[in-house]
Amino acid sequence: MASLSKYRPQALAGIGPGLLASLVIAVAATFLADHYGGPVMLFALLLGMAMNFLSDVDRCRPGVQFASKTVLRLGVAMLGFRITLQQIAALGWKPVALVIALVTLTILASIWLARRMGFEGRFGLLTGGATAICGASAAAAISAALPPDPQKERNTLFTIIGVSTLSTLAMIIYPVLIQLLRLDHVHYGMFIGATVHDVAQVVGAGYAISPEAGDTATVVKLMRVAMLLPVILATTMVIRANGAGEGERPPLLPWFLAVFLALVALNSLLPVPAFVQEAGGAASRWCLVTAIAALGVRTQFKEMLDIGWKPVVLMIVETLIIAGLALAAIGFGWV
């Protein structure tokens, strides 16, 4: 909790204006998403970028930085309210094996492709992890675990924009595709849960067909969310192993990941009331939307344009990889 302990009462007053501004942007993004449809994370990011001038205001800068880092990690930690081991066990071992294989193969392929296209492997990990796990939330979580880098925030923002856009397209296209393939509702739900990037789009695409498809899609998706733990653990272990010195190494288990794991265990082993789970999930969502808004405030649109066309191709290919693998597994009767 070192990153939280430095914010004493006096410092909390200093972060107030920037934190409040980020929250207001998050509220506006949520209003747009609820009333007009579309990914709330994308709205938060774009509205934040439109308010970029706040990053030059001395009173707002500390709070915006606090929201984009500490609030982000807090939101990732509280994702643990949404997962139980019982949900995973209810589907049996085959869907679990499918999710592990999809996430692992997609991330490894993404790292390889990123290097082939002239990027660092970390960029492939970031985009591949977002595609394979849970969209913008995974991008934020993996970015939080990566070491400081001049391009990290820009790459994170690009990944969030890309994965949110592709997730929306998948939510529209996949139901049509699956109906052409004549899958039953359970396998339809498995495909949607295993391939669509963001949780909200998974829920929308699943329940649009039937309650059975929606329930299956949601549980499979939450299994992908649970893969955040091993992916971030593996990331921190590799970073520690390659660190130039002991002082530069991140903790083996970042505090936000420890809280995430504790909440999953609590949620699985104790009878946590439904309203507590719902409140925790809502708090996680608000923290993540506020953090993404703050990330938008801290960047400039020109930086996003400078990244070029290759990352767009990379993310499209990653999306096709995970969709192709899932369809192959279903088509061959592996799940």
Side-chain angles (χ1 to χ4, degrees):
M1 291 285 188
S3 58
L4 287 172
S5 62
K6 64 181 178 182
Y7 292 101
R8 304 299 181 190
Q10 302 89 338
L12 288 173
I15 67 174
L19 182 59
L20 181 60
S22 300
L23 181 59
V24 169
I25 296 170
V27 171
T30 301
F31 176 86
L32 289 174
D34 289 345
H35 288 78
Y36 299 101
V40 65
M41 296 292 190
L42 183 58
F43 283 138
L45 183 55
L46 295 177
L47 288 176
M49 292 172 68
M51 303 293 288
N52 174 257
F53 66 89
L54 291 174
S55 63
D56 296 324
V57 178
D58 291 339
R59 288 187 63 199
C60 290
R61 192 179 299 115
V64 170
Q65 184 174 4
F66 175 83
S68 67
K69 293 185 176 180
T70 303
V71 174
L72 170 64
R73 289 164 170 80
L74 189 60
V76 172
M78 288 192 293
L79 283 173
F81 276 111
R82 299 164 69 167
I83 302 169
T84 67
L85 298 176
Q86 290 87 343
Q87 289 172 324
I88 296 173
L91 280 180
W93 68 269
K94 286 187 177 180
V96 175
L98 172 66
V99 167
I100 294 172
L102 288 178
V103 171
T104 302
L105 292 173
T106 301
I107 290 177
L108 291 177
S110 300
I111 294 172
W112 181 81
L113 282 170
R115 288 173 173 164
R116 295 283 294 180
M117 296 175 74
F119 301 111
E120 289 189 356
R122 290 176 186 173
F123 185 60
L125 171 63
L126 185 63
T127 58
T131 300
I133 301 174
C134 56
S137 300
I142 293 170
S143 175
L146 291 174
D149 182 273
Q151 305 299 326
K152 187 171 83 166
E153 284 191 2
R154 186 193 71 172
N155 291 342
T156 302
L157 291 170
F158 170 82
T159 302
I160 291 169
I161 290 175
V163 80
S164 299
T165 303
L166 289 169
S167 184
T168 302
L169 291 174
M171 181 181 66
I172 297 169
I173 295 170
Y174 287 177
V176 178
L177 172 65
I178 295 307
Q179 290 193 39
L180 291 175
L181 295 176
R182 301 182 183 278
L183 293 182
D184 61 61
H185 289 190
V186 171
H187 284 104
Y188 169 85
M190 285 186 183
F191 176 78
I192 292 297
T195 57
V196 177
H197 307 324
D198 286 319
V199 176
Q201 279 84 352
V202 166
V203 172
Y207 285 105
I209 298 299
S210 71
E212 184 181 27
D215 290 345
T216 303
T218 301
V219 174
V220 171
K221 181 61 183 178
L222 290 177
M223 290 163 56
R224 287 169 67 195
V225 176
M227 288 295 291
L228 268 175
L229 176 62
V231 168
I232 296 180
L233 272 175
T235 299
T236 54
M237 289 176 68
V238 171
I239 292 170
R240 282 170 59 87
N242 295 333
E246 258 334 289
E248 299 178 15
R249 296 184 178 185
L252 181 59
L253 189 66
W255 70 263
F256 64 92
L257 198 58
V259 175
F260 173 87
L261 182 59
L263 288 175
V264 171
L266 179 70
N267 216 13
S268 302
L269 301 176
L270 296 178
V272 179
F275 76 90
V276 174
Q277 294 177 329
E278 292 172 4
S284 171
R285 178 178 175 276
W286 277 107
C287 284
L288 290 173
V289 176
T290 301
I292 298 305
L295 280 172
V297 171
R298 295 183 62 185
T299 195
Q300 296 184 7
F301 189 68
K302 182 179 180 299
E303 294 179 354
M304 301 305 300
L305 294 178
D306 289 343
I307 201 167
W309 59 269
K310 285 185 178 180
V312 177
V313 174
L314 175 63
M315 294 199 70
I316 292 173
V317 172
E318 290 166 351
T319 300
L320 294 175
I321 287 173
I322 194 169
L325 290 172
L327 275 180
I330 293 171
F332 285 106
W334 296 338
V335 290

